[in-house]
């Protein structure tokens, strides 16, 4: 089936004329049509535009010299502004926003020949760990527990992207990761998710959540595909002053590189109390596989790990409260009716437009930045953040890469959603520290748990050293031989 | 720590988020819970530690030349306006 191919295989097949870009795209638009009613992975479907682009891709392919992603159908997280295509951030407040510009990352993908199938669902403004806060409804994880019909969450916030890739409703997708929003849903859906180094990809045209943390990255079904997509997405951008002017390597060349003599760190602090035996066993399996591949396994310590989440839930809301101040109903977005004063207009608009979790984070951020509390919370958190980054810097003096679990559990069911926000936040316990320090990190699917759900392992690398993560990730992928597919996918449940 | 009602109302006002009494109470409890959990940071000695501002370690922020890089895009700027009149954004009358 065309929908089962990897990006690398499809790119080769297109060049060998085994199938056309129109055929490949059509297979995917049909999968979206058949499955989206249930999975809800896409907020906006752009099948007509995709098929039109596929025709052009076919002529480019005939002419030769086609860029690497020519004719490859992708899903785009609905946080990336796309010129002329509705971009909602899964929020009511900009539910009808049609950007008159293209984000840098999506522009680069288009220049590389990619075809966009539509805009994928997410937690509202990327705030969530279960894709339960979208104003356009929740996403269903295409995986289910054995003999159990419970609807599981795909993880968050890039849950629509993860579900679309897992269910073969896209060959790959873009995600954004602020505290784990690429890696955790990738783990829950059994795919690869790569958060690059902060500054590797431009944030221009991506709707902002927490500017010192947000980073775009690829979500794919293989490490090689992630490498191919990242090469297209990364690179300097004069429109984003925090985007690094560092050359972009050919990431694909790092796949299959020898790991002889590479030092892999195992951070003691990631052995959290109450962690499931299954996660611990998968972690151990990863250690064994990398040792077998020639790596030296080194015990390391990241002493401030346990403070990562608390620091995150001060800094991210602080930045979000500032970034989301622009949504006031005046220049764009929904505007509430019947306001009696300007403050009333703002308050009504923002109350109606934002969902509960977004409101909670704006309030939290407003509190930690307010007079009298700034030093005790925000400034303190920034200092702890320095210590978290120092932990990584010191660890990377001894090792080349770190191996940890991606998430403390497999995907949970919608009706198991914790009522306590703090419990919900704990899903990101292993992904947040790397985000705080700006390190690149990737989740690779490694095994199924006893209930038949995918579990992922996380590789954390040095700044701008995505290549080592990709090299180690591809070895892990090969050794794990993870070929399981979700029960809900193109051609099966269609 | 617990948050009192007056502080919660003040925060909601500062955030221009418009909460009713029932929501204020729910938020007060939830934020109190989060703040209680965050107290774990009191264990960390940050004496002499500089705050980390941003994440970039590769270089200082690059200033950009102060020049017009686009322009003549009035229609684009106004294209998502909730309400407009000619080349202007309009808002409801709020001053009598």
């Amino acid at each position: 089936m065309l929908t089962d191919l990897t990006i690398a295989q499809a790119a080769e097949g297109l060049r060998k004329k085994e199938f056309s870009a129109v055929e490949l795209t059509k297979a995917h638009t049909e999968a979206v049509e058949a499955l989206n009613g249930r999975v809800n992975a896409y907020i906006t479907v752009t099948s007509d535009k995709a098929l039109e682009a596929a025709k052009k891709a076919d002529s480019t392919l005939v002419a030769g010299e086609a860029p690497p992603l020519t004719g490859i159908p992708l899903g785009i997280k609905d946080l990336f502004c796309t010129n002329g295509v509705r971009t909602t951030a899964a929020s009511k407040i900009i539910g009808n926003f049609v950007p008159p510009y293209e984000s840098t990352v999506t522009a680069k993908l288009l220049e590389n020949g990619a075809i966009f199938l539509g805009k994928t669902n997410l937690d509202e403004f990327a705030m969530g760990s279960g894709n339960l806060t979208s104003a356009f409804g929740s996403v269903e994880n295409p995986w289910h527990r054995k003999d159990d019909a419970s609807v599981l969450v795909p993880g968050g916030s890039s849950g629509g992207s993860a579900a679309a890739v897992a269910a073969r409703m896209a060959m790959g997708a873009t995600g954004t990761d602020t505290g784990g929003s690429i890696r955790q849903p990738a783990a829950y859906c059994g795919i690869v998710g790569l958060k690059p180094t902060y500054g590797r990809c431009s944030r221009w045209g991506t709707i902002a959540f927490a500017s010192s943390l947000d980073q775009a990255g690829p979500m794919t079904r293989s490490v090689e595909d992630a490498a191919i997509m990242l090469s297209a997405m990364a690179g300097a951008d004069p429109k984003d002053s925090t985007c690094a002017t560092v050359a972009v390597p050919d990431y694909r060349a790092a796949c299959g590189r020898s790991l002889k003599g590479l030092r892999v760190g195992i951070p003691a602090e990631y052995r959290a109390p109450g962690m499931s035996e299954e996660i611990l066993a998968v972690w151990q399996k990863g250690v064994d596989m990398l040792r077998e591949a020639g790596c030296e396994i080194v015990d390391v310590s990241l002493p401030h790990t346990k403070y990562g989440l608390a620091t995150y839930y001060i800094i991210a809301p602080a930045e979000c409260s500032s970034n989301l101040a622009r949504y006031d109903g005046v220049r764009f977005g929904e505007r509430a009716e019947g306001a009696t004063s300007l403050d009333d207009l703002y308050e009504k608009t923002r109350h109606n437009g934002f969902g509960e979790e977004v409101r909670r984070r704006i309030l939290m951020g407003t509190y930690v930045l307010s007079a009298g509390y700034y030093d005790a919370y925000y400034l303190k958190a920034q200092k702890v953040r320095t210590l978290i980054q120092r932990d990584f810097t010191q660890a990377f003096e001894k090792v080349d890469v770190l191996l940890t679990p991606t998430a403390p559990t497999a995907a949970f069911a919608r009706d198991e959603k914790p009522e306590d926000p703090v419990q919900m936040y704990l899903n990101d316990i292993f992904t947040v520290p790397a985000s705080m320090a700006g390190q690149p990190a990737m989740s690779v699917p490694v095994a199924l748990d006893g209930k038949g759900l995918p579990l992922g392992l996380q590789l954390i690398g040095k700044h701008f050293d995505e290549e080592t993560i990709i090299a180690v990730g591809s070895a892990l992928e090969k050794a794990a031989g993870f070929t399981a597919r979700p029960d809900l996918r193109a051609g099966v449940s269609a | 720590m617990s948050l009192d009602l007056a502080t919660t109302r003040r925060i909601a006002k500062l955030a221009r988020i418009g909460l009713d009494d029932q929501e204020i109470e729910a938020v007060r409890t939830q934020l109190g819970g989060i703040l209680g959990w965050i107290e774990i940071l009191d264990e960390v000695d940050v004496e002499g530690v500089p705050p980390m501002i941003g994440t970039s370690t590769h270089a200082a922020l690059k200033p950009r030349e102060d020049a017009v890089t686009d322009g003549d895009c009035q229609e684009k700027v106004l294209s998502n306006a909730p309400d407009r009149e000619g080349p202007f954004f309009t808002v409801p009358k709020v001053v009598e």
Side-chain angles (χ1 to χ4, degrees), chain A residues 30-293:
Chain A
E30 282 167 6
V32 173
E33 200 177 309
L35 292 168
N36 203 47
R38 175 158 174 196
V39 181
N40 201 26
Y42 287 88
I43 291 175
T44 303
V45 174
T46 55
S47 299
D48 292 348
K49 263 176 139 52
L51 288 165
E52 220 171 282
K55 280 184 206 152
K56 282 194 192 128
D58 277 325
S59 15
T60 313
L61 285 159
V62 167
E65 296 293 310
L69 290 173
T70 303
I72 303 296
L74 303 177
I76 300 297
K77 186 177 185 179
D78 205 15
L79 202 62
F80 292 88
C81 288
T82 39
N83 194 2
V85 175
R86 181 171 79 140
T87 301
T88 71
S91 183
K92 220 173 115 187
I93 206 159
I94 48 166
N96 293 310
F97 177 60
V98 180
Y101 52 86
E102 191 74 35
S103 81
T104 298
V105 160
T106 49
K108 279 173 178 280
L109 288 169
L110 290 172
E111 279 161 29
N112 271 276
I115 287 167
F116 296 166
L117 296 162
K119 307 297 290 289
T120 58
N121 209 342
L122 64 150
D123 280 296
E124 185 179 4
F125 281 103
M127 296 175 198
S129 309
N131 223 292
L132 294 162
T133 72
S134 168
F136 295 85
S138 308
V139 176
E140 176 170 355
N141 190 324
W143 293 82
H144 296 90
R145 290 174 188 144
K146 270 189 294 203
D147 311 316
D148 180 350
S150 306
V151 172
L152 307 181
V153 302
S157 67
S158 310
S161 289
V165 173
R168 275 75 181 153
M169 297 159 75
M171 304 204 84
T174 59
T176 64
D177 192 311
T178 302
S181 279
I182 287 176
R183 293 161 282 162
Q184 184 254 23
Y188 280 12
C189 291
I191 64 165
V192 174
L194 170 55
K195 181 197 91 76
T197 312
Y198 180 83
R200 189 45 116 174
C201 294
S202 169
R203 291 183 297 107
W204 192 84
T206 313
I207 294 171
F209 163 13
S211 305
S212 78
L213 295 156
D214 299 345
Q215 186 57 209
M219 303 178 78
T220 55
R221 290 193 296 263
S222 76
V223 174
E224 185 181 27
D225 284 3
I228 294 169
M229 264 185 82
L230 182 60
S231 287
M233 294 164 70
D237 180 12
K239 291 173 180 162
D240 174 3
S241 63
T242 61
C243 183
T245 35
V246 179
V248 179
D250 175 8
Y251 290 116
R252 193 177 183 178
C255 295
R257 187 194 273 180
S258 164
L259 305 188
K260 283 263 166 342
L262 206 75
R263 287 164 307 171
V264 178
I266 307 300
E269 292 78 7
Y270 281 62
R271 197 170 285 272
M275 220 159 113
S276 86
E277 287 301 318
E278 282 186 305
I279 302 272
L280 288 169
V282 168
W283 194 9
Q284 185 55 46
K285 189 175 159 191
V287 168
D288 295 341
M289 290 188 296
L290 291 182
R291 191 183 282 122
E292 188 69 22

Side-chain angles (χ1 to χ4, degrees), chain A residues 212 243 307 335 351 360 385-386, chain B residues 18 23 30 43 50 55 90:
Chain A
S212 78
C243 183
Y307 305 110
R335 175 188 291 169
H351 183 268
R360 181 155 55 230
R385 192 174 178 185
T386 301
Chain B
E23 287 166 330
Q30 285 164 349
E43 294 170 23
T55 316
T90 53

